[in-house]
Amino acid sequence: MTSPRTNRRFLLAARPQGMPKPDDFQLDTQPAPEPADGQVLLRTRFLSLDPYMRGMMDEAGPGYAPGVKLGQTMVGGTVSEVVASRNARFQVGQLVLSSAGWQEYALSDGSDLTPLGEMSRPSLALGGLGMPGFTAYVGLLDIGEPKPGETVVVAAATGAVGSVVGQLAKLKGARAIGIAGGAEKCRHAVEVLGFDECLDHRAPDLKARLAAACPDGIDVYFENVGGEVLDAVLPLLNLHARVPVCGFIAHYNEERGGAATDKRTQLLATVLGKRVRLQGFIILDHYADRFAAFRRDMTQWIDEGRIVLVEDVVERLEQAPDAFIGLLQGRNFGKLVVRVSE
Amino acid sequence: MTSPRTNRRFLLAARPQGMPKPDDFQLDTQPAPEPADGQVLLRTRFLSLDPYMRGMMDEAGPGYAPGVKLGQTMVGGTVSEVVASRNARFQVGQLVLSSAGWQEYALSDGSDLTPLGEMSRPSLALGGLGMPGFTAYVGLLDIGEPKPGETVVVAAATGAVGSVVGQLAKLKGARAIGIAGGAEKCRHAVEVLGFDECLDHRAPDLKARLAAACPDGIDVYFENVGGEVLDAVLPLLNLHARVPVCGFIAHYNEERGGAATDKRTQLLATVLGKRVRLQGFIILDHYADRFAAFRRDMTQWIDEGRIVLVEDVVERLEQAPDAFIGLLQGRNFGKLVVRVSE
C-alpha cells in the first residue's frame, strides 16, 4: 500500500472567448486514485504545453478530435514516473511517455504508455524528440521535401516546432528563413538555431523584409501561424512550392466560424483538420510526361464507348466574342468551339 | 504563289472590368500574311474557346502567363489546315493543332504545331482529346487519385473539363456527383454523361442537397469554380481528401486583388498559378509509419550537435494556465514544458 497522496489538477472551467483567461481553468484537489489490477499510478514529471490545446478548449475541438468537456481535466502529453504498479509490464521508478494531462497523478492500464528508456533529458520526449519534433520532421521532410539550395520559411521560429523545422532545413542544405516575435527571439534563431535570417513580425513592413530575405522566392512554407505571415508569404511562393499545413496560431483565439474567421482561414482549417491535399496544376506542365498516355487511354475509352464527348459548335469567327461571353455565363453545353472554316 | 487572302481576326480592344463585353474585342481585317522560308500558312478550321482566356484579357494574365497586350490578337488553341508551306515537315492540306488564336489565318515556323493525323472529328483535338480532356485526366487521375467506391465532385459538370472528369471518375469505379447550371444540363449530365447525380446550383439549398447527394462525404473535389460551390464542398470533405485545383470560373470576372476578391480566392489563385501543393497533416496519423525513423534520425543529429533543442521550463503545475496563455501570446522561448515534480 502506498500512503494517501493528493492529486492536484486543472479542470476546464469555462470555454474561452478569444484568448484564454486564468479563470477558464480551475485548480482542483482530491486524493490520488489507487491502481486497480492491471493499472499503474503515474506521477507527472513534465507536462507539455502546446498550441493545439487552445483548440481542445473549444466544444468542437481543434478539428481532428472533440474538445475537452467542461469540468474535465485538461489534456496534455506528459513524462510520468510509475509510482505504483499492478501491471507486470511496468516497474515502479520507470519513466514513460503518457497523456496524463494537467495533473500530478493519473491512472493508466498501460495501453497509452511508451517506456522512455535511458534519456539524459527526459523532457525532450515532449519536445524535440517527441510530438513537436516529429511534427517538424514529417511536415518538413515528408511533405515539404526541401532540396539543397531551396528556401524554407517558417514562423514561430523559436518555438517547439519551428526551431526544429529551421534546423532540419539547414541540415538538408536549404536556406532557412525564420519569423519570430521580437529582436531577442530573432537573434536566438540565427545565433543558436542557425537560421540564415530571422525577421521580427512585430516590426513594420514584414512583406518587404521577407521579400528581401528571399531573393529567390520561397520553395517551402511550413504553415503554423496563418494571418499576416501568410499574406507576406503568398506573393513569394515559387513554382511548385510546397506548403505543409500544421496549424494557425494567429487564428486560434478567433471565434470559430464567426465573422472574424475569414474564408481563407476556414479553408485552411479544413485542409488541416481533414488532412486535405490541395494542389494547383497547369496542364501545360504535363504534356511532356503524360500527354501520350492520355491520348492512348482516351482514344481507347472513346472507341469502347466508355467516354462520350459532347461539343457545342458555334459557326463563324464573328460569333467568337459572344460565344466566349456565353461560356463565362454558363450558356454553352459541352466543349465550346468555333467553326472558323470548313 | 497563292492568291491574296483576307485575314479576319479579333484583337483585344479593351481590358474588361468584370464580365467581358463585345466592345472589348475588335474585329480587324487585313491581308493574310505570306509564309517566309521555313514557315507555313495556316487556315483556322476550329478555334477553341476556354475559360482561361478571361485571365489572358487581364494585364497580369491568369497567373501562369502574361496577359494579351492591347491591340494584339486574342490567343487560343486551334485546329488549322496547312494552306501554304515553305517548310518540308508540313504539306498543304495537313491538319495540325496550333495556337493560332482568334483569327482565320496565321503563320508558323512549325515549332508550335502538332500534326493531327487521321481523326474523324478533328475538333476533338481541342476538347476531349486535347487540352480540356488532358486537364481532366491529369487533374483527376494523377492528383485526385479516385479509388473505387469513393465520391468525386466536380462543377461545370457538362463543360469541356467537368464532363470528362465525371466520366473518368465513373470509369475508375467512383461515384460521380456533378454540379451544373440549370435542370437541362443536370439531366444531360446524368443521362448522357453517366453522372450518378447532378445538382443545379441555381436552385436553393445547394449545401443541403450536396450533403444529401454525398452521404459518405467527398473524397475528391475537382476545383474549377470556387465561390459557393466550394463553400458547400468544404464541410463534406473526408479525411485525406484530394482537391486538384484547376481554376475558378466563379471568380474570373472579379477585379483582381480588389476588395471583391476574398483572401480564400487569392490563396487559391496562388495555389493554381504557382502549382502549389498545400497539404494538411496531423501528426497523430504518422506515428505507426514514421516515428521510429524520426527518433533514430533525431537522436543521431542531436548527438552529432547538428540539432539544438531549447526548452522553456516552467516550475510547478500551478503555473500551467499562465504559461499556456503566454505560449499563445508568444511569451515562451523554445519548447514549453512544466516541471510538475522532480
Side-chain angles (χ1 to χ4, degrees), chain B residues 170-243:
Chain B
K170 292 302 296 176
L171 207 142
K172 294 295 176 183
R175 284 191 80 220
I177 306 298
I179 297 168
E184 191 191 359
K185 285 185 176 175
C186 285
R187 201 161 43 240
H188 173 86
V190 172
E191 294 177 2
V192 178
L193 304 176
F195 279 81
D196 292 282
E197 289 192 49
C198 185
L199 310 176
D200 181 357
H201 66 74
R202 294 179 190 159
D205 292 326
L206 178 64
K207 273 193 177 184
R209 287 182 293 125
L210 186 62
C214 303
D216 300 322
I218 297 172
D219 301 292
V220 181
Y221 172 53
F222 190 101
E223 170 64 303
N224 56 8
V225 295
E228 59 168 342
V229 172
L230 180 56
D231 291 339
V233 163
L234 282 184
L236 301 174
L237 287 178
N238 285 335
L239 272 186
H240 305 295
R242 288 80 66 197
V243 181

Side-chain angles (χ1 to χ4, degrees), chain A:
Chain A
M1 279 297 288
T2 52
S3 62
R5 294 176 169 99
T6 300
N7 182 31
R8 294 186 309 157
R9 56 183 188 160
F10 276 104
L11 311 178
L12 179 61
R15 301 217 180 271
Q17 306 295 314
M19 185 66 73
K21 302 180 305 299
D23 286 354
D24 296 330
F25 308 90
Q26 183 197 331
L27 186 59
D28 174 73
T29 301
Q30 47 175 222
E34 293 292 332
D37 194 36
Q39 290 186 322
V40 296
L41 179 66
L42 302 171
R43 183 178 187 194
T44 305
R45 292 274 291 266
F46 291 98
L47 164 66
S48 182
L49 293 178
D50 301 279
Y52 78 85
M53 292 170 174
R54 175 63 188 82
M56 298 299 292
M57 299 177 78
D58 291 330
E59 186 161 8
Y64 50 88
V68 175
K69 290 197 174 60
L70 284 175
Q72 297 291 305
T73 304
M74 279 292 294
V75 296
T78 62
V79 167
S80 298
E81 180 183 346
V82 177
V83 290
S85 177
R86 297 184 62 187
N87 181 318
R89 291 175 52 227
F90 297 92
Q91 282 69 54
V92 169
Q94 190 175 5
L95 285 187
V96 295
L97 189 63
S98 170
S99 48
W102 295 30
Q103 57 185 344
E104 294 177 303
Y105 290 95
L107 290 178
S108 168
D109 65 4
S111 62
D112 63 329
L113 303 182
T114 306
L116 283 178
E118 278 302 303
M119 286 181 77
S120 54
R121 294 164 67 190
S123 58
L124 289 188
L126 301 173
L129 282 172
M131 187 269 283
F134 189 36
T135 300
Y137 181 93
V138 168
L140 184 70
L141 302 186
D142 294 359
I143 300 175
E145 300 180 275
K147 290 163 197 64
E150 287 193 334
T151 298
V152 172
V153 171
V154 64
T158 61
V161 176
S163 62
V164 178
V165 168
Q167 294 184 79
L168 290 176
K170 292 302 297 176
L171 208 143
K172 294 295 176 182
R175 283 191 81 220
I177 306 299
I179 297 169
E184 192 192 359
K185 285 185 177 176
C186 285
R187 201 164 42 239
H188 173 85
V190 171
E191 294 178 2
V192 178
L193 305 176
F195 279 82
D196 292 283
E197 288 192 46
C198 185
L199 309 176
D200 181 356
H201 66 74
R202 294 179 189 159
D205 292 326
L206 178 63
K207 273 192 178 184
R209 286 182 293 126
L210 186 62
C214 303
D216 300 323
I218 297 171
D219 301 291
V220 181
Y221 171 53
F222 190 100
E223 171 65 302
N224 55 9
V225 295
E228 61 168 341
V229 172
L230 180 56
D231 291 339
V233 163
L234 281 183
L236 300 174
L237 287 178
N238 285 336
L239 271 186
H240 306 292
R242 287 82 65 198
V243 181
V245 175
C246 168
F248 314 98
I249 302 175
H251 300 285
Y252 283 1
N253 294 303
E254 291 174 354
E255 196 185 334
R256 196 69 61 89
T261 307
D262 67 37
K263 285 188 169 221
R264 186 176 74 185
T265 305
Q266 290 173 26
L267 171 68
L268 291 172
T270 300
V271 164
L272 174 61
K274 298 296 178 63
R275 296 77 146 166
V276 172
R277 189 178 68 212
L278 189 85
Q279 185 166 349
F281 71 105
I282 303 289
I283 198 59
L284 301 176
D285 300 338
H286 301 275
Y287 275 84
D289 274 2
R290 297 287 284 148
F291 194 70
F294 157 71
R295 283 297 282 264
R296 184 193 61 228
D297 289 347
M298 198 66 157
T299 303
Q300 181 185 329
W301 292 331
I302 293 170
D303 290 348
E304 294 171 354
R306 303 178 75 186
I307 295 274
V308 174
L309 296 177
V310 177
E311 290 183 303
D312 189 339
V313 182
V314 171
E315 302 292 338
R316 292 183 299 123
L317 181 67
E318 297 93 301
Q319 299 304 316
D322 182 63
F324 177 62
I325 293 168
L327 172 72
L328 295 175
Q329 294 170 336
R331 268 197 270 131
N332 64 302
F333 214 117
K335 173 64 185 113
L336 182 63
V337 295
V338 181
R339 193 193 318 270
V340 178
S341 66
E342 296 287 344

